[in-house]
Amino acid sequence: MSQDTLIRRHFGHRARLVLSPAGVSKADGQAHAARTMWNLLHAWWQMMPKEGRTFANADAAIRQARQDIDFLAVLPAQAAQAVLKTYVQAWRNCWDGRAGAPRFKGRDRTVMSVDIPQGRDLNIVRVHRRWGQVNIPKVGRVRFRWTKGLPVGKCADAENRITGARLVKDALGWHIAFRVQTLEIKPAPHPGSEVGIDMGVTVAIALSNGGTYRHGEWLTGKEKARLLHLEQRAAQRKSHRRPGEPTSRRLHRTYDRIAGLRAKAKRRALDWQHQTTTAIARTYATAVVEALTITNMVKSAKGTIDEPGRNVAPKAGLNRAISGQAWGRTITMLTYKTVRHGGTLHKVPAPGTSRRCSACGHTTPGSRESQAVFVCKYPDCGWSGNADHNAARNILHLYRMGHALVPAAGRAVVRRAKRVKPAAAR
């Protein structure tokens, strides 16, 4: 087979781990040690002079720290090296203008995680159809939920293999995220048609051909009632805590239950997004979406003391609804799934797509009568229809007229050029 017909693909796969209480304690200890290693490395970086901030000196510092501090010895040596590489990359991202400067990691605001950089250390074995086993350094053999075919055993080679993994803990427990590399046949051009996609709050996804993708509530009625009860209980227990007094274990347990219900809702939303974006990528050759600046759309309307905002409560509710739909995550999924199925995704300018009439092309004030109905007020038109479908048709029209945006790779660097590293930090 010709090399032109093959393509190397890198992707991740996340699976649920089944850890014993002792295994959970070991994984927690490694995660806390990794966070402490980051903080020590950041403190060392700030204290060292400019000429002493080298990769070799930093490597020697973390090796000495693992010998002097017994608590850090629970972290495997390769995981400690991964912390160093991640920290150095964080500074490179800051110097290139892609991110802010690294900071100390707090216990409460940091996701607990441990990196396993070498895939050969995992020794993955499939036990049967539903379960597999993986070797985690300094934890042991652990079962995980097998939901996707992985290149292990006889299926693994130099081009199809697992290059590493990362342990991540959320409100539902510990998970393992595998980094997978495969060599696949390059997909043929998709034979489907073009479609415009409008993402909204009432209708999650509306298509230019009249199709829609909707979803219900992510939590059942009993689960929402339970969540409300736990939030009220947490607020009551928090009100009885004196200033400066540490949080009680009982309140921590309440917070954990709240986080568990919210994580369950997020997981259901992710499953719906994956199924929906996969269906769109398999059906259509070209998907066209709006280039939305979501961070500006969800800004608060409170204003200032001198100039207070208006309609603060409705705007706050709209911001929560937009954030709950996770439009950016949907676009990200569509981007790589359309490419995988031989299609493409394009973005067009967002202004005016919801106010313009897709039948006559005029933008007349008052045409958007409600969130769901669009009635053109232009005298010679009078077209009426669903507002979301009208916006999706306008999105597709902009693409066909040649208004697709070309992503600018250096835009972020130019916008944050003034935040280049100071001389003392180089």
Side-chain angles (χ1 to χ4, degrees):
M1 186 175 294
S2 174
Q3 291 293 329
D4 296 338
T5 61
L6 298 177
I7 183 172
R8 182 175 284 106
R9 177 171 171 243
H10 298 268
F11 64 94
H13 173 62
R14 182 164 169 160
R16 177 168 56 91
L17 290 175
V18 182
L19 287 169
S20 63
V24 172
S25 178
K26 292 179 181 179
D28 290 349
Q30 290 190 16
H32 289 308
R35 177 180 53 83
T36 305
M37 181 70 72
W38 174 284
N39 291 337
L40 292 175
L41 190 59
H42 188 51
W44 174 88
W45 183 276
Q46 291 181 331
M47 291 186 297
M48 286 293 292
K50 173 185 174 182
E51 59 275 5
R53 297 173 181 173
T54 63
F55 192 89
N57 291 342
D59 180 59
I62 65 172
R63 289 177 184 270
Q64 188 64 36
R66 295 183 73 249
Q67 295 177 3
D68 297 341
I69 305 175
D70 295 338
F71 169 68
L72 298 179
V74 302
L75 186 67
Q78 292 182 349
Q81 293 293 324
V83 173
L84 173 58
K85 292 179 180 178
T86 304
Y87 182 79
V88 173
Q89 184 62 43
W91 273 115
R92 290 173 180 169
N93 294 338
C94 173
W95 296 336
D96 293 339
R98 295 191 297 267
R103 301 184 304 169
F104 287 104
K105 290 189 176 183
R107 185 185 183 97
D108 297 331
R109 66 173 186 268
T110 304
V111 177
M112 297 180 65
S113 62
V114 182
D115 197 77
I116 307 175
Q118 298 294 336
R120 61 174 180 267
D121 297 335
L122 299 173
N123 297 324
I124 301 173
V125 176
R126 185 168 187 175
V127 180
H128 52 77
R129 185 172 63 89
R130 293 187 177 182
W131 294 97
Q133 277 191 342
V134 59
N135 180 66
I136 299 177
K138 293 195 175 185
V139 175
R141 301 291 293 177
V142 180
R143 289 194 306 161
F144 68 92
R145 185 71 171 173
W146 193 286
T147 57
K148 185 181 182 64
L150 298 173
V152 298
K154 296 181 180 180
C155 299
D157 53 31
E159 297 292 345
N160 300 275
R161 59 193 176 91
I162 295 177
T163 59
R166 190 173 187 85
L167 303 181
V168 182
K169 187 178 184 181
D170 61 9
L172 300 179
W174 278 99
H175 299 75
I176 184 167
F178 298 105
R179 293 188 288 268
V180 187
Q181 171 188 309
T182 60
L183 193 64
E184 301 178 353
I185 300 175
K186 187 176 181 180
H190 199 293
S193 59
E194 302 169 342
V195 65
I197 301 174
D198 177 69
M199 289 175 286
V201 175
T202 305
V203 178
I205 294 178
L207 306 181
S208 56
N209 58 10
T212 57
Y213 289 93
R214 302 171 182 265
H215 61 77
E217 297 290 338
W218 303 126
L219 295 176
T220 63
K222 291 184 179 180
E223 290 171 339
K224 289 193 291 185
R226 178 63 176 166
L227 178 61
L228 178 61
H229 174 69
L230 290 173
E231 289 175 341
Q232 292 174 344
R233 180 188 295 179
Q236 182 181 12
R237 289 175 177 172
K238 186 177 179 180
S239 64
H240 291 292
R241 188 180 61 180
R242 298 176 181 176
E245 184 180 359
T247 305
S248 64
R249 294 183 179 178
R250 185 175 296 178
L251 183 55
H252 271 302
R253 286 196 296 268
T254 305
Y255 284 151
D256 291 341
R257 292 171 183 172
I258 293 173
L261 285 172
R262 291 177 177 172
K264 184 179 292 186
K266 181 180 179 180
R267 181 168 296 183
R268 291 170 180 171
L270 273 170
D271 180 68
W272 181 87
Q273 284 182 308
H274 273 295
Q275 294 188 31
T276 303
T277 52
T278 300
I280 293 175
R282 287 176 176 173
T283 306
Y284 302 100
T286 303
V288 189
V289 298
E290 296 175 290
L292 299 173
T293 309
I294 302 175
T295 54
N296 294 339
M297 298 175 64
V298 296
K299 284 185 177 180
S300 175
K302 289 184 179 180
T304 61
I305 297 178
D306 298 332
E307 297 181 1
R310 296 179 298 177
N311 299 324
V312 178
K315 183 62 170 63
L318 178 61
N319 293 347
R320 286 193 297 269
I322 294 175
S323 300
Q325 293 293 338
W327 294 340
R329 191 166 60 203
T330 301
I331 295 175
T332 301
M333 291 180 181
L334 278 173
T335 301
Y336 72 82
K337 289 184 180 183
T338 50
V339 173
R340 187 181 178 188
H341 290 85
T344 56
L345 182 132
H346 299 276
K347 295 182 180 181
V348 296
T353 54
S354 61
R355 299 191 301 269
R356 176 184 177 275
C357 177
S358 59
C360 66
H362 290 87
T363 301
T364 309
S367 297
R368 185 74 180 265
E369 292 189 347
S370 66
Q371 186 68 23
V373 179
F374 184 93
V375 179
C376 183
K377 300 299 182 181
Y378 190 70
D380 297 336
C381 182
W383 180 86
S384 63
N386 184 275
D388 297 312
H389 294 157
N390 177 73
R393 292 171 61 180
N394 287 328
I395 293 171
L396 182 59
H397 173 75
L398 288 175
Y399 167 74
R400 290 175 174 174
M401 295 298 294
H403 294 287
L405 299 178
V406 178
R411 183 178 300 171
V413 178
V414 174
R415 185 172 62 249
R416 301 185 62 176
K418 295 182 179 180
R419 298 186 61 182
V420 176
K421 59 177 180 177
R426 300 189 184 186

